Amino acid sequence: MFRNSMVSKVEIRVKIVDTVTSDLISWLEYAGRLLPKIINGGIAGIIGVSCVFPLDLVKTRLQNQKVGPNGERQYNSMFDCFRKTYKAEGYFGMYRGSAVNILLITPEKAIKLAANDFFRHHLSTGQGKLPLAREMLAGGCAGFCQIIVTTPMELLKIQLQDAGRLAKSGAAPKVSATSVALTLLRTQGIFGLYKGTAATMMRDVTFSVVYFPLFAHLNALGPRKSDGSGEAVFWCSFLAGCASGSFSAFAVNPIDVVKTRLQLLTRAEGEIPYKGVADAFMRIMREEGPLAFFKGAACRMIVIAPLFGIAQTVYYLGVAEKLLGIQRG
């Protein structure tokens, strides 16, 4: 009797060890598949930010400017804003706030990619298929997870980008991401860095809900590689990424305008701060009309398209796999 009890305990322990070992191996395999994606996403993000950041700065300033009582504007168009900014602040002035993006783009991409993979896996059906509604849910959940990094990143970036617009003289006021962050932490605590979280969540969740399913379906329309992998050819993924990114960016631009204005800490003379998302929506509609929600939309679409195009290029070339010495499957 005692011997049978001991055997049973040993068998239970062996099963537990086998289960833990199996789970650990599965997790390591998953991490091994995910790591190249994270590195590729980070590399693509850094390259993309370096290439299109001046346009993102123009987008921020166009979204924040208000039309005067007599119709006067500081910037008349995207090109006018670009020209005036370059003239007043020079080449490096076009990259105000880029360091914040470059620093935080990798963890943001890591969270987004890992979350999207996780939710797609757990929401897939028994046959491994993912219905459209579940694709949208997985994308939305991934967008929700990334706001822990996106919100403070956007908040700090916007302060630096908009500093030149607020300057009364030709030179923009001196401000740094570090000084802004320390001031917020000292006066408002960690929550000070999360001003505009609700609007950021609305934008990123909606963007992901639109982008991920749209990309998957557009990507599935093109020809496949001849190697039998079932993957789309490069140009198809490239165009699908650009088209999906641009369309999604345009779709969420009204929310992006609200988010940008809510996160602005320093305002020009006469600009009254908003009380929240609903107040911002109503006041913008009442004071500036519906077209105000699409300020900077062209800039944002032009910014997003190459960002996703660059990402597809980095994934296609397998930069991370080459750096890690991993054989692509």
Side-chain angles (χ1 to χ4, degrees), residues 10-32:
V10 170
E11 289 177 348
I12 291 172
R13 289 176 181 175
V14 169
K15 287 181 180 179
I16 293 173
V17 171
D18 287 343
T19 302
V20 171
T21 303
S22 177
D23 290 344
L24 180 60
I25 292 172
S26 298
W27 185 87
L28 289 173
E29 288 177 348
Y30 172 73

Side-chain angles (χ1 to χ4, degrees), residues 49 51-57 94-98 101 157 161:
V49 167
C51 292
V52 303
F53 194 83
L55 278 170
D56 188 63
L57 180 141
M94 302 298 298
Y95 281 88
R96 286 181 178 273
S98 60
N101 260 32
K157 181 195 73 171
Q161 286 182 326

Side-chain angles (χ1 to χ4, degrees), residues 15 26 45 87-88 128 150 159 196 218 224 234 242-243 260 268 301 309 317 323:
K15 287 181 180 179
S26 298
K87 183 179 179 180
T150 306
Q159 312 317 312
L218 289 178
R224 305 292 99 180
F234 168 67
C242 290
T260 300
M301 291 173 72
L317 295 176
L323 291 174

